[in-house]
Amino acid sequence: MKLLILEDNETLADGMYKKLKEIGFIADVFYEGDEGLFALETSTYDLLILDLGLPGIDGIDIIKKLRSSQQNLPILVISARDRLDQRILGLDTGADDYICKPFELDEVVARVQALLRRSNNQTSNSIKYNDLEFNSQTLSLTRGEEKIELSKRELTIFEYLLQNLNAIVSKENIVEHITSIDDEFNPTAVETYVSRLRKKLGNSINLKTVRGLGYMMS
């Protein structure tokens, strides 16, 4: 899953980034509202962690822009605006959840995972596909009692394909979703990772190459 963190407190933003990256999330971080809004307009994310008091453009205005454009991106607000009327305003404007500062990073992680489950209509962190079971919280893949060893990059590509069953995804889509803006990644490497997935997972997956377009897992 790829997240966007918009928080002008660099220490707090970097702390969230490191915590989320530790458990397998991909994340971009921006400290100003205008930069974050541009990222939202030009890239694809699974969830937005948003501070309301941003320089450049207020967080409430960012929520309004997203919702007026019919984007259903899950939004977790983190804010020092802890008055009841401010919390109600954030939720009524279109935020999906609201945490007041100060908070524990573990709570942010729990709220993020809950919102992602809800947005994907999941009742748990486990997703079953054929004889495989993928846990999005622990980033682990099993076949029965057997744990299948995949690299972090292989797991994130598998997760993205799993989220887009029966849909064609291009190499560019995959690269955008599994990398942050700081990563250096050659799109041609996707072919190598897909080949490894086919070899390691065998008949457990139906992963086709659609010539000139990308890949489709069904």
Side-chain angles (χ1 to χ4, degrees):
M1 294 287 188
K2 186 173 182 179
L3 315 180
L4 177 61
I5 301 171
L6 297 186
E7 166 61 61
D8 65 338
N9 182 318
E10 295 188 18
T11 300
L12 179 56
D14 294 346
M16 288 189 290
Y17 171 80
K18 290 176 182 177
K19 180 70 174 180
L20 291 163
K21 187 175 180 181
E22 280 177 7
I23 58 175
F25 285 104
I26 309 297
D28 288 336
V29 181
F30 292 97
Y31 310 114
E32 296 189 9
D34 293 330
E35 293 177 339
L37 187 58
F38 180 77
L40 288 165
E41 292 170 346
T42 56
S43 299
T44 302
Y45 297 97
D46 294 297
L47 182 140
L48 169 62
I49 299 176
L50 176 67
D51 180 27
L52 296 183
L54 293 168
I57 179 172
D58 190 76
I60 290 292
D61 292 327
I62 290 178
I63 298 174
K64 289 179 179 178
K65 286 180 179 293
L66 287 174
R67 296 314 186 216
S68 66
S69 64
Q70 304 302 310
Q71 286 199 43
N72 59 358
L73 177 72
I75 301 173
L76 171 61
V77 167
I78 51 170
S79 178
R81 301 176 187 176
D82 58 358
R83 287 186 3 226
L84 178 60
D85 61 333
Q86 292 292 329
R87 301 200 304 272
I88 291 173
L89 174 63
L91 294 168
D92 282 349
T93 303
D96 298 280
D97 201 354
Y98 197 112
I99 302 179
C100 295
K101 299 178 182 178
F103 51 77
E104 296 293 333
L105 292 178
D106 286 340
E107 181 181 6
V108 173
V109 171
R111 300 281 188 110
V112 164
Q113 291 171 332
L115 286 176
L116 289 172
R117 285 197 303 271
R118 190 188 311 165
S119 68
N120 289 300
N121 295 315
Q122 293 174 228
T123 56
S124 72
N125 292 313
S126 293
I127 306 171
K128 292 185 177 180
Y129 168 75
N130 294 337
D131 59 349
L132 301 173
E133 186 167 350
F134 175 75
N135 189 300
S136 58
Q137 182 174 14
T138 60
L139 277 186
S140 60
L141 185 66
T142 56
R143 184 191 289 117
E145 298 298 320
E146 172 196 7
K147 182 176 180 180
I148 301 174
E149 296 297 335
L150 297 180
S151 70
K152 181 179 177 181
R153 193 72 81 185
E154 290 165 354
L155 279 167
T156 53
I157 291 177
F158 176 78
E159 181 182 26
Y160 184 62
L161 293 169
L162 193 58
Q163 292 167 354
N164 293 275
L165 279 180
N166 303 312
I168 297 173
V169 293
S170 67
K171 292 179 186 177
E172 291 75 20
N173 290 149
I174 293 173
V175 171
E176 180 183 6
H177 196 85
I178 68 169
T179 60
S180 66
I181 58 173
D182 298 323
D183 289 337
E184 293 184 6
F185 188 85
N186 190 328
T188 59
V190 172
E191 296 177 15
T192 301
Y193 287 111
V194 167
S195 177
R196 291 177 184 172
L197 284 173
R198 286 175 170 146
K199 183 176 181 179
K200 292 181 178 181
L201 302 180
N203 294 329
S204 293
I205 62 170
N206 182 17
L207 178 54
K208 298 178 180 178
T209 299
V210 184
R211 189 175 298 276
L213 296 176
Y215 304 97
M216 181 174 70
M217 190 162 79
S218 58

